[in-house]
Amino acid sequence: MTAASHRPPALDKLLDSGALPALIRQHGRAPVRAAARRALDDWRAQAPTMPFDATAFEAACQAALDAAAQPALRPVFNLTGTVLHTNLGRAVMAPEAIEAVVAVMRGAANLEYDLASGARGERDDHLEGLLRELTGAQAATAVNNNAAAVLLVLAALADRREVPVSRGELVEIGGAFRIPDIMRRAGARLVEVGTTNRTHLRDYESAIGPRTALVMKVHASNYAIQGFTASVPVAELAALCRARGLPFVEDLGSGSLVDLTRWGLPAEPTPQQSLAAGAHLVTFSGDKLLGGPQAGLIVGDKALVQKIRRHPLKRALRLDKMTIAALEATLRLYRDPDRLAQRLPVLRLLTRGQAELTAQAGRLVPAVAAALGERAQVQVRPCRSQIGSGSLPVDRLPSACIAIGAPAGTRRAGRLPERLAEALRALPMPVIGRIEDGELRLDLRCLDGDAAEAAFVAQLPLLAAARL
Ligand SMILES: *Cc1c(COP(=O)(O)O)cnc(C)c1O
């Protein structure tokens, strides 16, 4: 037998035969041709002495095309127990926000156009009224995220001048946002005040000099300093700044627009409280507790906001129409605080009670157990969720999870939690849990609503094939 009889048919012939015409209709000729060429190359490299197997060849083409057709950015089930998970996209948005985004994406919008006069308008106009109404600020503007808001405030108001900040507030958020770095990038000079655990008003007093541009306070979002501590209340710092004729800026980080204790959640400072206590400017995120899209909001004194708007960085950091649409629709929900917990997904998820979550876990355990069979033990377990994104770092919310561990009678779980986590991540809609105490835990706080629950259950049978 000669090697020639093992040769596959020519590429063009293959493209016209078997399952390939159907794949071409689905994916287009160029991608199928490229996949077929790679499958042929692989066959030549791996099995050149075997007869050509058309079925295996078609399956290889199909698998490669399916993999390439998967979007890189995909929806996942966030069962980590962290509601505002930065790596998983933070806030889940309200239907009102989603509809508003879709509407402006479909066609033209009055993004910078004033419908009353027919003249040029401002992007900020769509948000400023609502932000003023909700926070009590004189003026407001918005940029791409809160890091950008802080950068812009410093660049516009503190160029080559000094900004005193307490040593206890020199935060790093998510690895890339560090107050000292942002200061440098903005061209401002950081003046460290006080000590890590205690900073007093007199420390600020002695730090303020002729080169001071403003005083900044940064909310300790993702950590807590406990024990022998002291920090200066916003009202006292604001009064000091007023007496010295300096702007006082507070970076609140999350900055909820409502008092969360109303729903039994831990207290988080609001921009309205900060402004009422005398802050000239407050910055906060759009996609943390506010529950909207990624954005950075700057609210406060009119003359300062105007100065910020005129800085060239504002143009570089500006919001697009989709974000403005989502943010406006989200802010509108705050006009009716009584219905907020039903309408704003972030608040709804944070206020789900442990009894409801335990019942849900009980409902789902049989389906998970059936999918895993003898390979694992599946139980309902109480657990604690986190708010996340640096919001309220030490507070935990009582929750319930599906806990998956070694089968009964086996003492050690071995690699089971990691293998299971991998299998769950490989599902069509990946499921992200957390590994704790030798178990994989799926916190149900963010699996909200019948549709989400049904979608979660529907793909469980695919786990039957997973090697655990
Ligand atoms: C989260 C946070 C930031 C950064 O906000 P992004 O919207 O993520 O850019 C800045 N400062 C504080 C105090 C924060 O908590």
Side-chain angles (χ1 to χ4, degrees):
M1 214 154 124
T2 63
S5 66
H6 295 302
R7 260 198 213 134
L11 186 61
D12 282 319
K13 231 191 194 128
L14 281 171
L15 290 177
D16 289 336
S17 63
L20 269 67
L23 286 177
I24 290 170
R25 279 194 297 279
Q26 193 187 342
H27 297 280
R29 193 168 183 90
V32 174
R33 197 185 172 85
R37 193 185 294 279
R38 268 194 307 275
L40 280 182
D41 287 348
D42 288 349
W43 175 80
R44 281 197 196 95
Q46 281 165 19
T49 59
M50 301 279 286
F52 179 70
D53 179 346
T55 315
F57 165 76
E58 286 174 13
C61 292
Q62 169 103 50
L65 290 161
D66 286 348
Q70 281 268 21
L73 179 63
R74 286 193 283 158
V76 302
F77 286 104
N78 170 13
L79 304 190
T80 61
T82 301
V83 176
L84 295 169
H85 198 302
T86 297
N87 303 146
L88 301 182
R90 290 195 185 158
V92 172
M93 242 151 294
E96 287 85 348
I98 296 163
E99 281 157 27
V101 173
V102 172
V104 296
M105 280 172 79
R106 284 235 163 81
N110 62 334
L111 182 62
E112 292 180 357
Y113 186 81
D114 180 31
L115 291 173
S117 65
R120 207 198 118 109
E122 291 294 328
R123 282 171 199 244
D124 281 352
D125 291 349
H126 307 291
L127 302 169
E128 189 173 29
L130 276 163
L131 283 167
R132 286 178 51 197
E133 175 188 321
L134 296 169
T135 66
Q138 288 176 351
T141 183
V143 286
N144 229 318
N145 50 48
N146 188 36
V150 175
L151 179 74
L152 179 60
V153 167
L154 292 169
L157 306 181
D159 186 28
R160 279 168 290 178
R161 290 196 293 147
E162 294 175 353
V163 179
V165 181
S166 166
R167 286 202 166 85
E169 297 170 1
L170 297 175
V171 305
E172 171 180 305
I173 287 146
F177 178 88
R178 304 174 106 196
I179 291 292
D181 297 341
I182 293 274
M183 286 273 177
R184 207 171 313 120
R185 293 279 161 205
R189 267 186 232 143
L190 170 67
V191 176
E192 298 185 18
V193 172
T195 63
T196 304
N197 58 327
R198 289 175 72 81
T199 300
H200 307 277
L201 193 63
R202 59 175 185 273
D203 296 323
Y204 286 99
E205 278 168 340
S206 53
I208 291 173
R211 304 201 51 80
T212 308
L214 55 90
V215 173
M216 190 160 128
K217 188 171 175 66
V218 184
H219 186 54
S221 297
N222 53 2
Y223 64 102
I225 297 180
Q226 285 168 341
F228 186 57
T229 66
S231 63
V232 181
V234 175
E236 285 178 37
L237 259 183
L240 172 67
C241 291
R242 230 160 264 270
R244 304 288 179 96
L246 293 171
F248 172 51
V249 179
E250 184 167 26
D251 173 22
L252 276 186
S254 202
S256 171
L257 284 179
V258 282
D259 177 7
L260 294 175
T261 60
R262 172 173 175 173
W263 294 279
L265 293 167
E268 173 81 9
T270 64
Q272 45 275 45
Q273 282 168 352
S274 185
L275 292 170
H280 295 93
L281 287 174
V282 182
T283 62
F284 54 103
S285 290
D287 57 349
K288 293 185 181 172
L289 284 170
L290 192 118
Q294 179 187 302
L297 303 161
I298 305 169
V299 300
D301 181 85
K302 193 166 180 178
L304 294 175
V305 170
Q306 262 160 5
K307 194 161 178 200
I308 288 164
R309 273 200 193 115
R310 284 196 298 267
H311 193 277
L313 261 185
K314 170 69 167 59
R315 168 66 179 77
L317 302 172
R318 74 182 183 188
L319 292 177
D320 75 320
K321 65 177 177 179
M322 292 179 275
T323 304
I324 292 173
L327 194 51
E328 185 193 350
T330 306
L331 290 171
R332 257 174 219 291
L333 300 178
Y334 280 87
R335 286 185 145 165
D336 182 5
D338 295 339
R339 284 193 295 158
L340 198 61
Q342 290 97 59
R343 297 168 81 199
L344 188 73
V346 166
L347 192 54
R348 190 170 68 231
L349 296 177
L350 291 174
T351 52
R352 293 185 75 199
Q354 196 172 29
E356 177 191 338
L357 293 160
T358 306
Q360 186 185 17
R363 211 161 51 233
L364 293 175
V365 156
V368 178
L372 296 173
E374 311 274 81
R375 296 173 293 167
Q377 189 178 35
V378 185
Q379 292 164 284
V380 178
R381 207 183 284 296
C383 67
R384 285 177 176 271
S385 315
Q386 293 188 42
I387 295 174
S389 267
S391 310
L392 311 159
V394 278
D395 292 294
R396 296 281 186 279
L397 310 170
S399 186
C401 67
I402 299 172
I404 310 167
T410 327
R411 256 187 289 137
R412 288 185 54 238
R415 301 263 310 139
L416 179 101
E418 287 80 9
R419 292 219 175 92
L420 186 59
E422 197 181 322
L424 288 166
R425 288 198 306 272
L427 289 171
M429 177 141 159
V431 176
I432 321 287
R434 68 171 189 264
I435 294 172
E436 229 170 43
D437 299 335
E439 294 181 328
L440 181 75
R441 295 188 176 157
L442 305 176
D443 187 320
L444 295 177
R445 180 167 297 281
C446 297
L447 189 66
D448 187 34
D450 295 341
E453 205 175 293
F456 172 77
V457 171
Q459 57 174 5
L460 288 175
L462 294 171
L463 289 175
R467 288 194 41 225
L468 300 182

